[in-house]
Amino acid sequence: AECPSMGEGWDRSDIGLCAGCGQDFRSVVPQAPSLPADVKLLGCLHCLCGLCLEQRLATELPPCPVCGDPVEDELQPADFPSCFLAQVVDAQKALASELPCDECVDADAAVSHCRTCVSNLCEYCSAHHKRSRAFQQHELLDLSRLEGPIHRAVFCRVHVDQRASSWCGVCRVFCCRLCEDRDHADHGTKAVQAAAVDAAGKVAAALRRVSRLQEGLAHCHRSVLRRKSALESHKANAD
């Protein structure tokens, strides 16, 4: 599939637009209207839609059309994380009643989000969810009263219609149960939820390190300012 060009009349640094084609991330993927826009975050923190990233990785073009930042060899579109912007996009679509139901064939507008299933549900599917004994402990959010981000389910990169159940740290991919048994059986995979907890812990540790570095830099900056002030005083006295 090819990502349609939107022309050149847009700001490529606008994080709400694909830096490659200018697609508004609040829109749907043109080739699959029932699916949400795919927002991919590059290492340089610029964003591309999945189609643009796939096309640029298949050529000798640098992945980022804004800064030309290169990437490691053999990386695939699925190796790039979906940007947090995807959550903002879904929240905006939900408030505008444009978020489709993940369960029914008609993909009617979703009215609730199940945190447990990570699914958006229309009115009919929400009612069924509430009535079912299997889902009694599930937490449903009313999308008309949404106050924060909602999460997207993660899908297998091979069987794209199957939700990922595990994370393979060796291959660095999310996979469904079939792929886990067939391709990653001896890789020590982790359940998606456990992998998310581990990742959150690593991010928290990285933020703590950054905070300590920030404090050290602030201390050095204050020291430089004091020395600058002292030198200026000496210069003024010398004059």
Side-chain angles (χ1 to χ4, degrees), residues 16-39:
L17 305 175
C18 171
C21 68
Q23 177 191 186
D24 190 329
F25 288 133
R26 289 170 296 183
S27 67
V28 297
V29 177
Q31 284 73 25
S34 63
L35 298 178
D38 193 15
V39 185

Side-chain angles (χ1 to χ4, degrees), residues 5-89:
S5 173
M6 301 291 288
E8 295 297 328
W10 80 93
D11 181 2
R12 290 182 183 271
S13 63
D14 185 345
I15 64 170
L17 305 175
C18 171
C21 68
Q23 177 191 186
D24 190 329
F25 288 133
R26 289 170 296 183
S27 67
V28 297
V29 177
Q31 284 73 25
S34 63
L35 298 178
D38 193 15
V39 185
K40 292 296 184 179
L41 181 66
L42 304 183
C44 57
L45 302 184
H46 291 120
C47 299
L48 286 177
C49 69
L51 288 175
C52 276
L53 179 58
E54 183 176 352
Q55 289 169 17
R56 296 184 74 87
L57 288 179
T59 67
E60 295 183 358
L61 291 172
C64 183
V66 180
C67 63
D69 192 45
V71 297
E72 299 176 26
D73 293 337
E74 300 182 356
L75 283 179
Q76 300 298 317
D79 297 324
F80 290 85
S82 293
C83 179
F84 71 93
L85 183 62
Q87 296 180 352
V88 178
V89 168

Side-chain angles (χ1 to χ4, degrees), residues 218-234:
H219 174 74
C220 291
H221 183 246
R222 290 192 295 269
S223 178
V224 168
L225 290 178
R226 286 195 298 269
R227 293 187 180 186
K228 178 184 177 183
S229 178
L231 288 172
E232 290 175 345
S233 297
H234 286 308

Side-chain angles (χ1 to χ4, degrees), residues 55-230:
Q55 289 169 17
R56 296 184 74 87
L57 288 179
T59 67
E60 295 183 358
L61 291 172
C64 183
V66 180
C67 63
D69 192 45
V71 297
E72 299 176 26
D73 293 337
E74 300 182 356
L75 283 179
Q76 300 298 317
D79 297 324
F80 290 85
S82 293
C83 179
F84 71 93
L85 183 62
Q87 296 180 352
V88 178
V89 168
D90 286 351
Q92 291 177 338
K93 291 171 74 70
L95 292 174
S97 299
E98 297 174 353
L99 196 64
C101 177
D102 293 327
E103 297 294 327
C104 63
V105 176
D106 295 332
D108 291 335
V111 298
S112 66
H113 174 81
C114 179
R115 285 187 181 273
T116 311
C117 298
V118 195
S119 295
N120 302 310
L121 306 171
C122 65
E123 186 173 357
Y124 177 83
C125 292
S126 296
H128 177 266
H129 220 68
K130 294 174 182 178
R131 286 197 304 266
S132 175
R133 290 183 179 179
F135 305 137
Q136 283 297 303
Q137 302 302 316
H138 288 202
E139 182 183 359
L140 285 180
L141 297 178
D142 184 346
L143 292 180
S144 66
R145 301 178 181 177
L146 194 63
E147 296 181 352
I150 55 178
H151 297 284
R152 289 185 180 180
V154 181
F155 289 84
C156 175
R157 63 181 296 180
V158 177
H159 304 97
V160 294
D161 60 336
Q162 296 295 315
R163 293 198 178 195
S165 58
S166 302
W167 164 258
C168 178
V170 176
C171 301
R172 299 187 61 79
V173 295
F174 290 104
C175 56
C176 64
R177 288 187 175 86
L178 176 61
C179 287
E180 181 180 8
D181 294 338
R182 185 187 63 188
D183 303 323
H184 311 279
D186 58 345
H187 290 182
T189 57
K190 290 184 178 181
V192 170
Q193 294 83 352
V197 171
D198 288 348
K202 292 177 181 178
V203 170
L207 288 174
R208 288 193 293 271
R209 290 195 297 272
V210 169
S211 179
R212 289 194 294 269
L213 289 172
Q214 188 178 25
E215 291 174 359
L217 288 172
H219 174 74
C220 291
H221 183 246
R222 290 192 295 269
S223 178
V224 168
L225 290 178
R226 286 195 298 269
R227 293 187 180 186
K228 178 184 177 183
S229 178

